[in-house]
Amino acid sequence: MKKSIFIVSVLLLNFVTTEAIEITGYQLDITITTTSDWCNLAPPENIPLSILDHEFVENNSPNAQVWMFQIVQSGNTFLIKVKFKTFLLNEGLNSDLTFVSTKGDWGDVTIKIEGMKNGSLTTVREFENHGYISGDPTNRREFSVPINDILDLDLKSYQLEEQNIEPTVFTFYYPWYGSPTGPNGAWFHWDPNNHYASTHEPLLGYYDSGSLETQQQHFAWARDYGVDVLISSWWGIGSYEDKRLVELLSEALNYPVKLSVYFETNGEIENASETLRPLVIKKHLRYILNNYGDHPSFFKFEDKPVIFLYGLPLTRIPADKWQQVVTDLRNEGFEFFISVDSFGADYVKIFDGFHTYNPLYHTQDQLRSIFKANLITSFYHQKIYAATILPGYDDTVIRTPGIQVSRENGAFYEGQWQVLAETKPAWVLITSWNEWHEGSDIEPSVEYGTQYLELTKQGRSLWDSTNVKAVETEKGLPNDFRFISVYPNPFNSSVQFKFYLPHSDHVQLEIFGILGRKINSLLDDNLSAGEYKIQWDGRSTNKKDISSGVYFFCLKSSSNIKVSKVICLR
């Protein structure tokens, strides 16, 4: 017992000195009861309210669908009652919160907001949206929640440890350009009659994505300026972008830069019937996994090829169909990791990670709150959140009136890297490397030179300095007895430990509570040298679920003791 107490004492010292992100806020239950054919609740602007989960309390409709706070049952007026579990960050809460309720002309809507006060569930606000408003098809009605009623609630605090994931910088990459002097032999995506459909002029000129010289320069820049992965826009089997992906994967073998794909929509998906569309989507995903998933240049997480899924194809089939697509592919033996362009709880639960493609304009304070709110969602669902930043935006060359977000001579981009350094997400997405149509490019241009690659390198350095890597890089295995990773951390239902043993030895892996009591023993065996993965289901020796809290894992060999801390959030 003395040994157990000593080990925990050391761990407690570690706990005190290890940096964590503390996030505080209010857990709110928002229940929407409706008999309308559709309804939606819009939360206050610029106040991050994370939807952690939702459940049907009552559902009499044969076609009810939920998307964020929107409930739809097209053509029906059955009773539906949905409870949303949410988390409201305790940031920027300096005035009453104004919500907007909209609905169809049919039926009624009742909204109830509850929170914990002195340990008991308390009603904060109830609101009803009945009937219709002449001339307003959305029947828009506002209601406010007094800020003091929120601040009187019990404050909930999360201590979020940095995830033991290799920090990775991705950028969205567009291989869809063609020129008369390049391999394509004709203009593609560039429009010489309209400023080449480009907000800025590439330093390389209006290039052809199939040009080897262009590809080599892009990889060299990515390598030199801190970009790890190019997420290549992908528009279907045999598409122009698909052909470029083959070339890019081959050339990437010469660089420490990986490729992933951004799964966009395509004609076959768009033209498929509602019944056949899931099969078409599955066919295209299967094609990517079969043809590219095992390629050494394709980016992998936990040995699984990573695919990013754009929001447009996501909306082409409902969540339950996506669940079936994912389940079917895994039943076929495919292993993969998909990050989805959505913060909706239904989709976050189905896929392995989540992100957004284009955050557009937010102040640094707003962006900080958004990143923190999404980190709460990621830890709650044990998913990886990839935080997106961009240098600026201007699509007025191709759209009217279009949207402009000023680059502020680099200050806008620098500020976003500063927020990343403060909030420490494991993955960062940059929109974009070369979306010249929308003016979000960091690739060198005539207008800015290499300014935005230099800022990327500086931002990457700042962000790296705040990410203490607990994972060995792919350059080689560790040469000593150690933990490689503990993921996810915090965890909800299960956690995986990966460790390396440099030579044959007897190894024990035990779990202790914060007071030194042994909770479980996961391993007690003679092992040969190598890398090992051990899964724990969050239960004690007597098969009971553990409660939320801090736990310690002790990895022992004949001559070494290694410890790691993990947090359980129930």
Side-chain angles (χ1 to χ4, degrees):
M1 185 64 189
K2 289 183 179 179
K3 184 180 288 186
S4 297
I5 293 174
F6 171 73
I7 291 169
V8 170
S9 298
V10 173
L11 286 168
L12 287 174
L13 267 176
N14 232 7
F15 176 65
V16 172
T17 57
T18 299
E19 285 190 60
I21 304 169
E22 181 176 17
I23 298 179
T24 60
Y26 304 93
Q27 196 159 298
L28 302 177
D29 288 343
I30 301 178
T31 303
I32 300 177
T33 305
T34 178
T35 54
S36 184
D37 54 336
W38 71 270
C39 69
N40 184 57
L41 178 66
E45 291 185 7
N46 302 325
I47 298 294
L49 182 66
S50 299
I51 302 176
L52 302 178
D53 211 346
H54 71 259
E55 62 173 335
F56 282 99
V57 178
E58 186 172 351
N59 181 17
N60 298 311
S61 175
N63 63 336
Q65 294 185 33
V66 177
W67 170 261
M68 304 298 281
F69 283 120
Q70 185 177 66
I71 304 171
V72 178
Q73 52 169 337
S74 299
N76 289 318
T77 57
F78 295 100
L79 177 65
I80 304 171
K81 187 175 185 180
V82 181
K83 177 180 283 190
F84 298 87
K85 183 177 182 179
T86 73
F87 186 82
L88 176 66
L89 273 180
N90 185 30
E91 295 186 6
L93 301 181
N94 46 29
S95 60
D96 293 350
L97 306 184
T98 301
F99 292 79
V100 177
S101 169
T102 52
K103 69 177 200 66
D105 287 340
W106 301 344
D108 301 314
V109 173
T110 300
I111 299 162
K112 184 177 184 180
I113 301 176
E114 299 171 292
M116 298 300 293
K117 185 174 182 179
N118 299 324
S120 299
L121 192 63
T122 302
T123 299
V124 177
R125 184 73 161 88
E126 286 189 272
F127 177 77
E128 297 180 349
N129 189 345
H130 294 315
Y132 67 93
I133 301 173
S134 180
D136 180 1
T138 68
N139 301 295
R140 185 182 190 277
R141 292 179 172 93
E142 293 184 359
F143 68 95
S144 294
V145 178
I147 191 60
N148 288 335
D149 290 351
I150 296 293
L151 300 179
D152 283 344
L153 298 175
D154 298 341
L155 198 62
K156 188 174 182 65
S157 177
Y158 286 99
Q159 290 282 341
L160 303 183
E161 290 295 311
E162 294 180 53
Q163 295 170 300
N164 286 310
I165 302 169
E166 184 74 12
T168 305
V169 173
F170 305 76
T171 185
F172 293 104
Y173 182 84
Y174 293 88
W176 56 23
Y177 301 106
S179 74
T181 58
N184 189 54
W187 292 116
F188 190 55
H189 266 265
W190 304 118
D191 180 2
N193 296 317
N194 180 30
H195 200 264
Y196 292 88
S198 178
T199 307
H200 308 120
E201 182 179 346
L203 198 60
L204 296 178
Y206 298 106
Y207 55 74
D208 193 304
S209 294
S211 162
L212 178 60
E213 292 78 11
T214 296
Q215 295 170 3
Q216 289 174 335
Q217 182 61 77
H218 285 172
F219 281 123
W221 275 332
R223 174 198 63 202
D224 295 342
Y225 289 95
V227 173
D228 301 306
V229 184
L230 304 181
I231 306 172
S232 191
S233 179
W234 191 84
W235 291 77
I237 300 169
S239 64
Y240 186 85
E241 297 80 12
D242 184 37
K243 294 171 184 175
R244 300 291 77 78
L245 180 61
V246 175
E247 301 163 356
L248 291 165
L249 287 167
S250 178
E251 185 57 30
L253 293 170
N254 301 311
Y255 299 87
V257 179
K258 302 294 185 183
L259 272 296
S260 179
V261 298
Y262 208 22
F263 189 97
E264 316 261 8
T265 191
N266 59 66
E268 189 176 7
I269 292 174
E270 295 298 310
N271 295 326
S273 66
E274 186 176 331
T275 303
L276 293 179
R277 192 169 287 153
L279 299 177
V280 173
I281 289 173
K282 190 160 49 178
K283 168 185 142 182
H284 284 267
L285 286 170
R286 190 185 293 115
Y287 172 89
I288 292 172
L289 295 169
N290 272 328
N291 288 275
Y292 309 126
D294 291 332
H295 196 286
S297 297
F298 204 97
F299 177 73
K300 298 173 183 66
F301 176 72
E302 297 283 338
D303 300 322
K304 300 172 184 177
V306 175
I307 295 171
F308 289 83
L309 175 61
Y310 185 46
L312 190 57
L314 182 71
T315 63
R316 293 306 185 247
I317 58 175
D320 61 328
K321 298 298 182 184
W322 272 112
Q323 180 66 75
Q324 193 61 53
V325 166
V326 170
T327 300
D328 288 349
L329 288 172
R330 288 192 168 131
N331 286 341
E332 291 175 23
F334 289 105
E335 291 191 339
F336 52 86
F337 180 107
I338 296 180
S339 176
V340 64
D341 180 16
S342 174
F343 299 150
D346 271 359
Y347 293 103
V348 170
K349 287 189 287 187
I350 293 170
F351 297 101
D352 309 285
F354 62 103
H355 68 277
T356 186
Y357 171 72
N358 198 339
L360 285 181
Y361 183 77
H362 294 288
T363 66
Q364 282 185 241
D365 286 342
Q366 291 165 349
L367 198 66
R368 185 180 297 106
S369 294
I370 290 168
F371 285 177
K372 286 182 178 180
N374 287 327
L375 285 170
I376 286 284
T377 301
S378 80
F379 283 117
Y380 181 83
H381 290 287
Q382 301 181 46
K383 310 290 184 177
I384 294 181
Y385 168 55
T388 307
I389 61 173
L390 75 168
Y393 188 90
D394 183 353
D395 65 356
T396 54
V397 171
I398 62 167
R399 299 185 181 108
T400 302
I403 299 173
Q404 290 179 298
V405 176
S406 173
R407 294 188 174 222
E408 300 173 8
N409 194 31
F412 180 71
Y413 194 43
E414 286 182 294
Q416 296 191 343
W417 278 106
Q418 179 62 47
V419 174
L420 289 171
E422 294 170 12
T423 53
K424 308 175 189 177
W427 288 0
V428 172
L429 309 184
I430 302 171
T431 302
S432 65
W433 178 271
N434 61 341
E435 222 301 6
W436 296 100
H437 306 316
E438 296 178 344
S440 62
D441 42 274
I442 62 168
E443 181 186 342
S445 64
V446 171
E447 292 83 354
Y448 298 108
T450 60
Q451 178 184 2
Y452 285 90
L453 286 186
E454 295 286 355
L455 290 175
T456 299
K457 187 175 183 178
Q458 294 170 22
R460 171 69 190 262
S461 179
L462 175 66
W463 177 63
D464 276 344
S465 70
T466 66
N467 278 285
V468 181
K469 298 181 183 180
V471 184
E472 289 293 321
T473 67
E474 294 180 0
K475 294 177 182 176
L477 287 170
N479 56 13
D480 59 347
F481 178 61
R482 68 173 63 184
F483 276 115
I484 296 177
S485 66
V486 180
Y487 177 78
N489 189 13
F491 74 99
N492 177 262
S493 58
S494 66
V495 60
Q496 183 186 83
F497 302 89
K498 186 190 291 187
F499 66 90
Y500 180 74
L501 187 64
H503 53 75
S504 298
D505 206 339
H506 186 84
V507 179
Q508 292 177 290
L509 180 57
E510 297 175 320
I511 307 160
F512 293 87
I514 198 166
L515 298 179
R517 183 173 63 88
K518 187 163 84 170
I519 304 298
N520 207 332
S521 177
L522 301 183
L523 178 66
D524 188 359
D525 204 354
N526 294 316
L527 301 178
S528 55
E531 184 178 296
Y532 292 88
K533 297 177 183 178
I534 304 295
Q535 196 84 10
W536 182 43
D537 62 3
R539 295 185 177 185
S540 63
T541 305
N542 59 6
K543 305 299 181 184
K544 291 184 177 179
D545 288 337
I546 63 168
S547 58
S548 296
V550 178
Y551 294 86
F552 301 102
F553 291 77
C554 180
L555 183 66
K556 294 185 283 188
S557 68
S558 60
S559 57
N560 283 284
I561 297 178
K562 303 290 182 181
V563 294
S564 180
K565 179 188 65 180
V566 72
I567 297 173
C568 177
L569 294 179
R570 295 292 194 188

